[in-house]
Amino acid sequence: MNLFLFAELANPNVNIPIILPEIVIAAAGIVVMLFDSFFPGQRRVTGIMSLVGIVLAAVLLFGTWSAGMPASAWNGMIAHDNLRLTFSFVFLLVSAMTILISTIWVETEKVPAGEYHALLLFATFGMLLMASGNDLVIIFLGLETLSIATYVMAGFRKTDLKSNESAMKYFILGSFASAFLLYGMALTYGATGSTNITEIAARVADPNFPALLLVGAAMLIIGFGFKVATVPFHIWTPDVYEGAPSPVTGFMAAGPKAAGFASFIRVFVLGFPLMAGVQASGYLHDSWMAALSVMAILTMTVGNVAAIMQDNIKRMLAYSSIAHAGYAMVGFLGAGAASTVLERDAAIASVAFYMIAYAITNLGAFAIVTLLGQKNDRRTEFEDYNGIGFRSPVLSFTLSLFMLSLLGIPLTAGFIGKVLVFRPALEAQNTLLTIVVVAAVINTAISAYYYLRLIVVMFFRERTSDWVEPRIPAGIAAALVIAVIGVFYLGIFSSSIIERFSQTTQSIGSVSSR
Amino acid sequence: MESVLKTAFPFVVYTVGILLAFQGVLMIVAYTVLAERKVLGWIQGRIGPNRVGPWGVLQPFADLLKFILKEDLVPDKSTKFIYFLAPLVALTCALLPIVVYPFGPSITTVDWSFLPYGLGDGITRLPLTIAQIDVGVLFVLAITSVGVYGIALAGWSSNSKYSLMGGLRSSAQMISYELAMGASVLGVVMLAGTLDLNGIIYAQITSPFRWFIIPQIIGFVVFLIAAFAETNRVPFDLPEAETELVAGFHTEYSALKFALFFMAEYVNMFTVSVMCVVLFLGGWYVPGLGRIFEPGSIPYAAVSHVAFIGKICAFLFLYIWVRGTLPRFRFDQLMNFGWKFLLPVALGNVILTIVVVYFLNR
Amino acid sequence: MEPSLATYLALSGILFTIGAVGVIYKRNAIGMFMCIELMLNAVNLTFIAFSRYYADTTGQLFVFMVMSVAAAEAAVGLGIIISFFRNRISVDVDDASILKN
Amino acid sequence: MNGGGPRSPSYIMDLIAENILTILILLPVVGALAVLGHQIFWKQESQLKWVTFAITLLNFLLSLVLVFDKGAVSASGFHFEKNVPWISAINTNYHVGVDGLSLWLVILTTFIMPIAVISTWHAVEKKATAFYIFLLLLESAMIGVFVSLDLLVFYLFFEASLIPMFFLIGVWGGKDRIYAAVKFFIFTAIGSLLMLVAIIALYFMHADATGVGTFDFVTLLNTLKLGNMTFSASAGAFLFLAFALAFSIKVPLFPFHTWLPDAHTEAPTAGSVILAAVLLKMGTYGLMRFNFTLFPDQAREFAPLFIVLAIIGIVYGALVAMVQPDVKRLVAYSSVAHMGFVILGMFSFTEWGMQGAVYQMLNHGVSTGALFLLVGFIYERRHTRMISDFGGLANVMPIYATIFVITAMSSVGLPFLNGFVGEFLIMVGMWKSTILSVTATANWNYIATMVAGTGVIFAAVYLLWMIQRVFFGKVTNDKNRGLADLSYREIGLMVPLLFLMVFMGVYPRPFLEATHSSVTEIQKRVMQRAGGEIDHAHVPGPSEEKTEAHLEIQQK
Amino acid sequence: MASTILFFLFAGFAIACAVSMVYHKNPLYSAVSLVGVFVALSCIYVTLAAPFIAVVQILIYAGAIMVLVIFVIMLLNLDEDKPLTRLRYLYAVGGGLGLILLVQTMFIFYAVLRAPKDPVDTSQTAGKSLSIGQAMYTEYLLPVEIVGIMLLMAIIGGVILVRRLEPGQLKLVVDSELDKRHEEEEKDDYRIAF
C-alpha cells in the first residue's frame, strides 16, 4: 500500500522526463532559497544560480521538443505539445532577462535579492505549469503560484509606499479574479464531470448541464481576462505596473501575460472547441468567440487611448501592455476560428511568437526604464527623459528601437508578430474577425502617437537640467544586448523560429486521456 | 407508536450517551482542579484545600457555586457581543472533541433483542464512542485549533491592553504549536494507516510494544510539549501569565464567564491527554486483557474503559507535576522553540518514519 | 427528501454573490480579503456538490487544493497588508491613492 | 558597363550586376555602419559628410548600371530580379526587381542623395553622426520601396522609410518640428497599416483561390491575370481603398495633404529635398504599381473620385500656395498641386497620361527638389524664409536669382524645360481619356482637363509673383545687402539639377522609352476587363499615331 | 427529511453569517461572521458525504486562515470601516455586479433543476479519507507537490514582506528619502526653468 508512490512513478502514463523543466526550475528555486538562507547577501551568486537553472530547464525543454515524446504526462494532467513548448520558452526567456535586469538591485539597492530570485523562479514554475497544465487543477495551481509570487514581488520594495500599494491592489484584485476563475472551473467541472481539458473537450458535445458550461466559460473569461489584462478587467494594470519595481513590472507585463494567454488558449481553444454538427458546442463556441472579439476591440482601443494620456512612462507601458493583450487576442481568436488543426496550431504559434516578441521588446524597454529610474524608480515621468537622446545615445536609441518594435515597425520583432497574429484572424474570413483586425490596425496607428512621444521627448527636445548618464551594469547590458539582437533577429530572420513554433511535433488535439 | 419509538430510539440512546460522556468528562475535570490544588500543595509542602467535605472532596462544587453567585462584571468599553461569545466559543470547542473519544472497545457480545418493540433488532455492537468518523484525529486537531478563537476574541473584546496582549500571544502560540502537533501526529497516522481514533488503537493492539510510544518516541515528546503549549499550561502559559499580563486574556472576566474559561482549559487538558493516550499509549487497550475476558464482552469493555481513564489521569498528573516544577518561558523563547526546534524535529520524525516504513514494507 | 444539486448550487451562488458584492463594498483590505475567502468557499461548495453528484473525488481534491491556495494567499496577503500598514497606518483602500486612479 | 577589364574583374562585375538591387539597398546600410564606426573610432565628426557623400555617390554610380546594363528580363518583365525566401512560414520572399516604372525612380533616389548630402555641408552642425546615418538608412528604405516585388517586403520598406524621415524632421527641423514630425508619421502610418491588412487579406484570398498563400506581387498578378482569383465587389473595394488610402496619404492627395506643408516647412533642407523628390513618389508609384494592376476594375470604378480629388488638389494647392508668406511653404503647396497632376495623369488611364505621370514624377523630383535646395540656401544665409523679408535679391545674388528663376520656370512648365513635357502629356492624356465618359455625349474629361489646366496658370502666377517679390525691385531689407552669392559648392550642387531640367525638357525620349513598355503594360491591364475583353476606350488608331507624332515634334 | 432540515438550517446560518460579514463595519465582527460561514459550510460538507473536506475546512479555514486574519486585525488594532465617501459610485458597481451574479445564480438553479439527468451514482466512497488519500498520492500527486512548493513560496513571501529592514537597508532608505527630497526641489526648479 505504501508503494503507491513508486508504482505510480514507474507507470508509463507518468512520463517524468516531460516535466523535468518544471522540476528543474522548482528545484533551482529551492536551492537558491537555501543558499540564500545559509550564505545571505550573495546577490550575484544567487542570480547566476538562477540563470543556470533556467538555462538547464531550457535545454531540457529543448530536449523534449522532438517527435518521439509522448503527448501527455501525469495521466493527462500535463500536455506536451507545441503550445506548452513555445510558451515555456517565452517564460524562460522572460525570467532570464528579468534576472539580468534586476542586477540593478545588486548594484544600488540592498533588497534581498536571493529571495527575489527564488520567488522569480517559483513564479516561472507557475508559468510553466500554466502552459503545460492540461487539467484545470494544474492551471489553477500554476496561476496561483505565479500570482502569489508576483504579489510579493510587486511589494518587494517594502519601504516604498507605491510598491506597497501596488502589491495590495494587485493582491486584492488578483484574488478577486481568481475567485471568478475558480467559479468558472467549478461550473465547467460540474457541466462536464471532468477537470481534464481533453475530456472536457470530448464532453463539450454533450455536457450534462449545457447552461452551466456557458456560465462557466463566462466566469473563466473574467478570470483569465484579468490575468492577461483585457478591458474591462484591466483596471488594476496601470496602478500595479506603476507602483511595482521596474524589473518586476517588466516581468509582469511579459511573463504572466503570456502565461495567461497560454492557459486561456488551452482552455478555450482546446477545451471548448467547435464540433461540427453539435449544437451545444457550436453555441458555446460562438458565444465565447463573440465575447472575446468585443473584448479584444475594447482592449486595444481603451489601452491605446488611455496610453496617450499618460505622463508616466511605466503607466504608459502598462496601458500599452493592455493594448498588446488585445493584439495577441486577435491571434487567439484566429486560433478559435481555425477550421483545421494545422491552421489552429499555426495561430497558436503566432500568439506564442507575438508574446515572445512583445516580451523581448518590453523587457528591453523596462531594462532601460529601470536603469534610468535609478533608486526607487524615481525618474519615470516623460519629463525625466527630456532631451536625453544625444546625451545617452546608446540608451535612447535602444529605447527608441523598442518603442518602434512595440509599435510594429517593419524589421523589428513587433512587426512580424503583428503580421502573424493578424493572419489567422483574417484567414477565418469571418466578418467579425475582420472587423477586429481592422480595429487592431487603426489602434496600431493610434499607438504610434504615444510610442513616438517618448522618442520625441528624448530626441526632439532639449534638456534644460543637467543629466548624468547612469553607469550600465553588466546584467542590464546583457539584457539589452539580448533584447536588441532579439528584436532584430525576430524581425528579420524569424523564419526558422516561426517554423519551429508551428511545426506540429505533437498533435495537440489528441492528448491521450486518462 | 411503535414506529415513533423506533425512530426516536437511536436519538434517545445518543442523547443518553452524550450526556453520560459529558457528565463523566466534566466530573473528571472538576476533580482535576481539586487534584491540581492538592498536588501543588504537596509539592510546595502545603496541604491544599481540605475544608469543604472530607479532604476537600466537595471543593469543586463549592467553587462552582461561588462562580455562579458572584457578581458578573462587564467592562464598559468592551465589545459586548463578542465579549459574551468568547467564553462560549472556548468551552464549546473544548467540549466538542468528546464526541470522538474512544472511551472503550465496542461491546459486541451482548444480545440486544430483549428490548421491547424490537428496538434492539439489528444492533450487533454498542460502540463506546459517540461518533465514529474516519477522520477523528483531524477532527480533534481542527476543533482544538478553533479553540483559539475563544481566547483571541476574549482578549480583543475586553478592550484592555493586557487582554489584547494575551489574546495576541495566544493566537501566535497556538498557530505555531499546532504545526508541530500536527506534524508529530503524522508519524502515528502513517504507522496506523488511518485517521480514525479507534483504528489507531486497533493498530496498537497486538502487543504493548506496538504502542506507538516506542517507534514514535520523538513524536510523543513533541506532541507532549506541543500539547502543553496548546492548552496554555505552564511552562507555556504566556497568554495568562499572571506576573506579566495580570491574568492575560481573561483579566476582565469574572464569575461564570471566567468559570467557563477555566473549565475549557481543563477540558482541553483532558482532550490532549486523551489524544496522547490514544495515539501513543494504546488508548483503552490493556495488554493481556483479551486472555482474561472475551473481547467485546461487557467486563472487557469495563476494564478497558477504566484503564483508559487511568492512563488519562496519569497524564493529568503529569500536567500538574510540570506546573509545580517548571518556570515559564519568555515569549520569544517560546516562539523560537516552537519554530526552530519543535517543528524541525517533528518534520524530521515524519521523514524518518517515511523512510523506515518504506524500507520495512519493501 | 434530499436537497437537490440545484439547491446546493443556489446556496453557493448566493454566497458567491454576497462575497463579490462585499469585495466592492468593503473599504478595508482585510475586509476585502475576507470577502474573497467567502467567494472561494462558495466555489468549494459547488465543487463538493458536483463531487457528490458525480461520486467523484476530483471535486474534493480540487477543494483541497483551493484550501491550500487560500492558506498561501492568506500568508502573503496578510503580509502585504501589514507591510502597507507599517508605512501608512491604515488599511483603507481609499488611502491607497498615491497611484492615481 | 561590365565589358571592360580582364576576366576576373568581369566576374566581380557580373556578380555586382546580378545583385545590383540588393547592393543598392544594402550599401547605404553598410555606409551607415561605416559612419557609426568612423565616429566611434576616429571621433572626427567633420569627416562624416565626406564618408556619406562617398557612399551616396558610389551608390549613384552603381545605380547607373541599371540604365546601361539591362540584364536578363525575367518572365514577369522585371530586370535584375532576385527572389530569395525570407520567412518561409508565411511564404514571403525577398523579391526585388526593376522595370521601366521603377527604374528612373531608383536612379532619381540615388541621384538626389549625394546632392542632399552636399546641401547639408554646413547646415548640420549638431549630432551629425545620427543625421548622416538616418540619411543613409532613408536611402536604403527608399530604394527598397521602389524595387521590392513582394508585398510584405514592400510594406516593410514603405514603413521603414518613415523612421529616418521622422527623426530627420524631428531632430534637425524647425520650430514646430515635433508637431510636423508626429503628424507626418501618424498620417502615413494609419494609411499604411490598413494596407497591411489588405496585404494579408490578399494572401488568404490567394490561398483560397489556389491553395497557396503568397505575398509575391508577380504571382498574385499572374493569378489575377489568369482569372483564377477574383474579388467580390465589397472585398475588392475594401482592398483597393486600403491600398489607395496608404498611397494617397503619401502622395498626398487633396484631403490627406495637410501633413505635407508642415513636414516640408519644418524639415531640414536635405529632408525637404528628399521628401519632395522621392518620398512623395512612393505614393504615386504604389498606386500605379499595385492598385492599377491588382485591382483594375476597382481602379476604373474609383477613378472619377480620384480625378476629382486630384483636380481639387491642383487648384487648391495652387490657390493656397499663392497666399503663403513663407517661401518653403509655398513650394510645399506647389508640391500638392504637382502631385495632383501626377494623379490626374495616372487616372486618365491613357498611355499619354500615364507616361506623363511617370515623367512628371521625375520632373517634380528634380524641380521641386531644386527649389527646396534653393530655399535652403537662402535660409542658411538669412535664417528666415518669409517673402516679406526679402526683395531685390537679384541685385545682391545674381547667380542665385538666375538659377532660382530657371528652376521655378521648370516647375511652372515652361516649354523646353522638363515640367512642360510632363504636364503636357498629362493634359493630353486626360483630354483623351474616356474614364469620365458616362455616356458618349457627356464627356467630363474635357472639363476636368480644363480645370486642371487652370492649375498650370495658377502655378505660373504664384511662382512668378513670389519671384517678383523676392528677387526684383529694390533691396528693401538692409540685412539682405551683404548676402554672399552662391558658393562654388552650391553652384556645383545646382548644375546637375539644372542640366537635367533642360535635358529632360528637350530630350525626353530616353526616359519615356525606358518607361514605355512597363507603362503600357499597366495601362492595358487597367483598361482590360476581367474577362479579357479590351475596353472600348483603348482603340489603337490613327489618333494615337498622331499624338505620337505630336510628341516627336515636341521632343525636337 | 432530516438532511433537508439540516441543510436549510445550515444554509440559512451561512447566508446570515455572510450577510453579517459584509454588513458589519468592524473587521473583527466580519471575521467572526466569516468563521460562522465556514463552520456552516463544513456541516453542509458533512451532509454531502465529504467528511474529510469538512474537517479540513475547519482546520485550514477556521483554524489557520481566520486565526491569522484575526491576529492581524488585533495586531493592527483596526477600527471601523469608513463609509464610502470618495468612491460612491462603487455602490452602483457593487449593486450591478450583485444583480448579475444573482440572476446568474437563478439561471444556474433553474438550469440544473430542469436538467433531465439524474445523479450518476449515489453510493459514496468518494469522500472517505482513504480514497482521497489514495487519489492524492497517485493521480493527484503532481498537484499536491505543486501545492507544497506554493506553500513554501508563500512562507518566503510572507517573511520577506513583514521582516524588519536590516540596518544597512535602513540607511539606504533614509538616504534615498533625502535624495528624493533633494530631487523634488531640483525638479521644481527645472519646471520653472522650462
Side-chain angles (χ1 to χ4, degrees), chain B residues 114-134:
Chain B
F114 65 85
L115 287 169
Y117 306 116
L119 289 177
D121 291 355
I123 300 178
T124 52
R125 53 195 284 271
L126 177 68
L128 291 188
T129 304
I130 297 167
Q132 267 201 309
I133 58 176
D134 75 337

Side-chain angles (χ1 to χ4, degrees), chain B residues 79 81-82 85 134-135 138-139 141-142 145-146 148-149 152-153 156 164 167-168 171-172 175 178, chain E residues 26 28-29 32 35 51-52 55-56 58-59 61-63 66-68 70-71 74-75 77 128-129:
Chain B
T79 313
F81 176 69
I82 292 183
L85 188 67
D134 75 337
V135 284
L138 279 184
F139 181 79
L141 284 179
S145 69
V146 176
V148 68
Y149 284 111
L153 293 179
W156 185 81
L164 188 66
L168 273 175
S171 10
I175 293 176
E178 224 162 67
Chain E
N26 191 321
L28 201 84
Y29 276 176
V32 171
V35 174
F52 179 77
V55 171
V56 170
I58 296 281
L59 195 63
Y61 271 120
M66 288 316 290
V67 172
L68 210 56
I70 288 185
F71 183 81
M74 284 163 67
L75 186 72
N77 212 354
K128 293 266 183 249
S129 47

Side-chain angles (χ1 to χ4, degrees), chain C residues 1 26-27 41 86 92 94, chain E residues 4 24 38 57 86 162:
Chain C
M1 190 186 90
K26 286 275 175 191
R27 285 298 81 210
N41 264 274
R86 275 197 184 147
D92 199 315
D94 278 4
Chain E
T4 310
H24 274 299
F38 291 159
Q57 159 99 359
R86 212 146 36 75
V162 296

Side-chain angles (χ1 to χ4, degrees), chain B residues 180-181 183-188 191 211-226 276 280 341-353 356:
Chain B
M181 196 180 197
S184 64
V185 170
L186 277 184
V188 171
L191 290 180
W211 286 6
F212 288 143
I213 190 171
I214 291 163
Q216 287 295 318
I217 181 71
I218 305 172
F220 174 71
V221 173
V222 172
F223 184 88
L224 204 60
I225 296 173
C276 263
F280 299 100
F341 178 74
L342 219 48
L343 186 59
V345 168
L347 289 176
N349 178 45
V350 171
I351 292 167
L352 188 70
T353 314
V356 171

Side-chain angles (χ1 to χ4, degrees), chain E residues 76-183:
Chain E
L76 305 185
N77 212 354
L78 297 178
D79 40 353
E80 304 225 323
D81 238 5
K82 281 183 285 184
L84 290 175
T85 46
R86 212 146 36 75
L87 305 171
R88 212 165 263 286
Y89 69 93
L90 280 181
Y91 280 124
V93 176
L97 181 69
L99 205 65
I100 293 170
L101 287 173
L102 266 187
V103 169
Q104 178 194 301
T105 306
M106 287 195 289
F107 175 71
I108 292 174
F109 180 73
Y110 183 72
V112 173
L113 212 57
R114 286 289 303 276
K117 304 189 180 179
D118 292 327
V120 179
D121 182 15
T122 45
S123 68
Q124 288 287 320
T125 53
K128 293 266 183 249
S129 47
L130 184 68
S131 57
I132 288 189
Q134 271 183 358
M136 219 183 256
Y137 288 99
T138 54
E139 208 179 340
Y140 282 81
L141 181 59
L142 184 64
V144 171
E145 297 293 336
I146 296 168
V147 163
I149 288 176
M150 185 167 64
L151 289 171
L152 177 67
M153 185 189 77
I155 293 169
I156 307 174
V159 169
I160 292 172
L161 284 170
V162 296
R163 189 173 53 193
R164 289 198 187 82
L165 294 174
E166 294 143 19
Q169 223 175 337
L170 205 64
K171 184 177 175 301
L172 212 69
V173 168
V174 174
D175 285 353
S176 82
E177 195 61 33
L178 292 175
D179 274 12
K180 201 186 278 175
R181 289 207 189 128
H182 179 66
E183 192 144 303

Side-chain angles (χ1 to χ4, degrees), chain B residues 87-99:
Chain B
L88 289 176
V89 170
L91 187 63
T92 316
C93 294
L95 290 176
L96 261 180
I98 294 177
V99 297

Side-chain angles (χ1 to χ4, degrees), chain A residues 229-360:
Chain A
T230 55
V231 175
F233 314 114
H234 69 288
I235 38 169
W236 59 279
T237 323
D239 286 359
V240 172
Y241 280 22
E242 187 191 344
S246 296
V248 177
T249 312
F251 174 76
M252 285 200 287
K257 193 183 287 282
F261 267 111
S263 298
F264 209 165
I265 291 174
R266 166 99 50 205
V267 173
F268 278 83
V269 176
L270 304 184
F272 299 148
L274 182 65
M275 291 191 177
V278 181
Q279 199 196 350
S281 81
Y283 195 54
L284 178 67
H285 187 265
D286 287 354
S287 313
W288 72 254
M289 285 291 287
L292 288 188
S293 304
V294 173
M295 270 168 70
I297 294 176
L298 277 178
T299 305
M300 292 181 288
T301 314
V302 171
N304 281 319
V305 171
I308 288 178
M309 296 182 278
Q310 302 308 320
D311 285 327
N312 183 299
I313 190 156
K314 281 167 87 178
R315 278 183 96 79
M316 183 275 269
L317 285 171
Y319 279 111
S320 123
S321 91
I322 296 175
H324 280 275
Y327 301 138
M329 270 175 92
V330 177
F332 174 14
L333 287 167
S339 49
T340 65
V341 173
L342 211 64
E343 281 176 14
R344 188 193 66 193
D345 288 359
I348 292 174
S350 79
V351 179
F353 186 91
Y354 193 87
M355 290 324 298
I356 204 170
Y358 174 69
I360 285 188

